[in-house]
Amino acid sequence: MFNTTPFSGSTAMGASEQGPGRSPGRLRVYAAVAAGSFVSYILHRLTTGDVSTAFAVFGLGACGWAWLLTRALFDSSPHDAWWARIVVLFVAVSAAVAVLAPSGGAASRVAGNLYAVSGSAALLLTFVEPFHRYRRDLPVAEKRFRLAFLVIYALLVGASVLGFWASEDALRDNLIKGACALVGLGAATVAVWFRVRHPLAEPSPVRRAPTEQDRRLADRLMRLLQTEGIDSEPNLRISDVAVRLGEPEYRVSHCIGAALGFANFNRLINHHRVERAKARLTDPAETGSILEIAFDCGFGSIGPFNRAFKDQVGSTPRAFRRAAVRSRFEGA
């Protein structure tokens, strides 16, 4: 039966996301196919004979399917590029042909070589995906997630490759690769969970330079936020703000992006709500609970407040308050 080395279980670290307005199809399809291929790969390594061969037909393409899943994790576009799907189809087909063709024949050798090259390319491309749209202003949680992805992925690839060269028999090689795939599958589950809770925003359109009208409107909007505290209203919508300003909604949206530099209205409002909460949490005279502060600052529940606060500040509200208290105590 065809034996292969390019695959590493760590490629299961890929995940996907559900950002505002994007279709969940890419996430669900890639997650389901990649999970199925990883399970098949693990069973291929733990079984023998015709059963192992049957699992290998689908399982050996896992490195390609997991790469697509990784692309979905770090790319918020609703659809994947056609060329990436062709590459993965090539990986899957070459692996299947290498398994099913008569052992030692020309077809098996050619397909095996093609699979080795394309599978290894998929593994290398997976390393690149965490750098997709990487910016210095990404939330702290997103930066840590991408770093954790790279570290865990590198460790699993290294364990798989080193295990192959160090193993002296097929049984040990199967156990090492199967274990790496199992750990990678578990890591993928965590990655999917994280992305669902911390979706990437849709790619922002190219921002035009702000006009004088944008700047004047931005000044008026900021006065509403700073003097009237409209961000403390939990159900505030951009249409409500447009009515207060006496401007069309699209102009308010334009000034938020061009003059204030926020991706959308919700990002602007949550930013100011979090800043208001930070001031409350560091105030020695503040006696309200974190839940009360969240409500007072305009959040409808504790979950969105905790997520928005951690994305912007890098710690939970509770940890932030504890650090402020400790700082005051040490400075006394």
Side-chain angles (χ1 to χ4, degrees), residues 257-281:
L260 298 177
F262 288 91
N264 53 51
F265 175 74
N266 289 336
R267 292 288 183 88
L268 168 69
I269 296 302
N270 279 347
H271 173 82
H272 284 272
R273 286 171 174 168
V274 169
E275 289 300 310
R276 192 184 301 275
K278 286 170 60 180
R280 294 272 299 271
L281 291 169

Side-chain angles (χ1 to χ4, degrees), residues 139-154:
V140 175
E142 180 68 23
K143 291 181 178 179
R144 290 174 178 172
F145 173 63
R146 294 184 182 225
L147 177 61
F149 175 92
L150 286 170
V151 170
I152 295 174
Y153 181 76

Side-chain angles (χ1 to χ4, degrees), residues 7-14 34-46 59-60 62-63 66 152-153 155-157 159-161 173-189:
F7 172 75
S8 166
S10 58
T11 48
M13 270 296 296
S37 64
F38 268 83
V39 171
S40 295
Y41 181 84
I42 294 169
L43 294 175
H44 152 62
R45 289 292 179 179
L46 299 180
L60 290 179
C63 53
I152 295 174
Y153 181 76
L155 288 174
L156 287 174
V157 169
S160 181
V161 173
D173 177 51
N174 284 338
L175 290 175
I176 291 174
K177 288 185 177 294
C180 287
L182 186 60
V183 173
L185 187 59
T189 302

